[in-house]
Amino acid sequence: MGFDIHAAALVLVMALVTCLLRFLPFLFFQKSTPSYIVYLGKVLPAAIIGMLVIYCLKDVHIMAAPFGLPELLAVASVVALQRWKQNSLISILFGTILYMIIS
């Protein structure tokens, strides 16, 4: 398996664009951040996580075996770990690994 220059270039461009998009607000709002940007910074993370959860669970069939049990156990483990440890990385990682093992 050789080095793929095209794939490396694509990854580099995507990384640069991502960094640029992350840094642009700091360049535009150097003096003070507008209140609507602060509001969006508070509400968007929860909204995005909610949409991701809905997207991940949209194809669960509760009328056929295993009746959504793997998904339910994984979601419950994420919620329980998040309440206990308050660390999103650990919660999501453990829930993902648990789901991969039991499904």
Side-chain angles (χ1 to χ4, degrees):
M1 182 159 92
F3 182 74
D4 188 1
I5 191 75
H6 182 71
L10 285 174
V11 170
L12 180 65
V13 168
M14 287 186 285
L16 289 173
V17 168
T18 300
C19 287
L20 179 66
L21 290 174
R22 303 285 171 135
F23 294 140
L24 276 178
F26 294 105
L27 295 175
F28 282 124
F29 306 120
Q30 288 180 0
K31 302 223 184 249
S32 67
T33 306
S35 61
Y36 67 92
I37 298 293
V38 173
Y39 171 75
L40 288 176
K42 289 180 184 177
V43 298
L44 278 182
I48 291 169
I49 294 295
M51 288 191 334
L52 286 173
V53 169
I54 291 169
Y55 177 78
C56 290
L57 298 176
K58 71 178 174 50
D59 292 327
V60 174
H61 300 289
I62 59 172
M63 299 305 237
F67 307 105
L69 191 58
E71 291 84 0
L72 179 65
L73 290 173
V75 169
S77 72
V78 170
V79 170
L81 267 173
Q82 183 61 31
R83 289 189 58 109
W84 178 40
K85 290 291 187 179
Q86 296 181 353
N87 186 328
S88 299
L89 183 61
I90 291 173
S91 303
I92 293 169
L93 184 64
F94 181 81
T96 302
I97 292 170
L98 177 66
Y99 177 76
M100 290 168 47
I101 290 171
I102 63 178
S103 67

